Amino acid sequence: MSAAPLVHVVDDDPDIRTSLKLLLSSVAIDAKTYASADEFLLQFKETPGRPAVLLLDVRLPGVSGMALLERLRMERSSLPVIMLTGHGDIDMAVRAMKVGATDFLTKPFSSQILLDRIQDALRRFGETAAPDVSLDEAAARLASLTPREREIFDHIVSGDSNKVVAVKFGISIRTVESHRASIMEKMGAKTLVDLVLLSVILKNAK
């Protein structure tokens, strides 16, 4: 019988750590919690063969979530990482995806969405964080964008909000939303995460 999945939670808020541990235990997922990146680094051990995920808050006292992510990737850890961010941290989350995060969630999020994302990451345990799309296919999708959509695509994956893009190009937010929907459809992306990962595939090929 395989071991129960394990989720590592790094967050400096004790209430969040407690609530996440209770939520995970309710669906038979073990959880270990840490108040800081330093505490995690002192206690963490890889669990070969046991599916595991790291829920990592972007903003932490001392070593930041981003710095911890970079260290894990430098050490070639296969641990999938889901970044937890505030609304003002989207640009940071996008950068985290480029460093190697598997996913990110913006606070506040529903329990069901979190569990869905964790299950998703557990299924991909041991794999690289990349969509099942070839470079040629990703390039073909990018080539299908209009010149304006391509410009907006670059801003979206860089973390700019619809409002920022609207001001940049002197268009309405509704127009940006329309372009964004078209970009998502043409790129075959269901979420912003998918879009960022496609951009990473294209960037790494350069």
Side-chain angles (χ1 to χ4, degrees):
M1 184 175 179
S2 59
L6 174 62
V7 175
H8 300 277
V9 180
V10 183
D11 197 300
D12 61 327
D13 187 323
D15 292 335
I16 290 179
R17 294 198 303 274
T18 299
S19 63
L20 288 178
K21 189 165 188 174
L22 288 171
L23 172 66
L24 292 165
S25 66
S26 73
V27 291
I29 295 177
D30 293 338
K32 290 186 178 181
T33 62
Y34 315 84
S36 68
D38 286 330
E39 185 179 334
F40 172 81
L41 289 169
L42 284 172
Q43 299 181 26
F44 172 68
K45 292 182 180 179
E46 293 276 5
T47 53
R50 184 183 189 184
V53 175
L54 170 60
L55 296 183
L56 178 59
D57 193 17
V58 167
R59 297 188 180 278
L60 293 169
V63 178
S64 69
M66 181 67 75
L68 175 56
L69 173 64
E70 290 173 343
R71 174 164 175 173
L72 289 172
R73 292 304 171 247
M74 284 179 63
E75 295 176 352
R76 300 192 178 281
S77 170
S78 62
L79 184 68
V81 178
I82 299 176
M83 303 297 289
L84 305 180
T85 76
H87 283 289
D89 297 325
I90 294 299
D91 59 335
M92 197 180 299
V94 171
R95 280 183 278 140
M97 298 295 294
K98 293 179 179 179
V99 171
T102 304
D103 204 342
F104 68 86
L105 283 172
T106 304
K107 298 175 182 178
F109 42 78
S110 74
S111 297
Q112 190 57 55
I113 288 176
L114 175 63
L115 292 174
D116 288 346
R117 298 290 185 88
I118 289 174
Q119 293 291 358
D120 225 21
L122 288 170
R123 282 192 292 269
R124 294 185 299 189
F125 176 73
E127 300 176 359
T128 56
D132 187 20
V133 176
S134 69
L135 172 60
D136 288 345
E137 176 62 23
R141 293 181 188 182
L142 187 67
S144 72
L145 302 182
T146 66
R148 175 48 60 89
E149 287 173 345
R150 175 57 191 275
E151 290 176 323
I152 293 176
F153 168 84
D154 289 339
H155 282 274
I156 291 173
V157 298
S158 293
D160 289 342
S161 67
N162 289 347
K163 183 177 181 180
V164 168
V165 175
V167 171
K168 171 75 176 178
F169 294 104
I171 56 181
S172 69
I173 293 179
R174 179 167 294 183
T175 299
V176 174
E177 291 172 346
S178 177
H179 280 305
R180 184 168 179 151
S182 177
I183 291 167
M184 298 287 281
E185 181 178 356
K186 290 180 179 180
M187 294 298 292
K190 294 181 180 179
T191 66
L192 176 58
V193 171
D194 294 336
L195 206 61
V196 171
L197 290 176
L198 285 166
S199 76
V200 172
I201 288 175
L202 292 162
K203 182 178 181 181
N204 288 343
K206 292 181 179 179

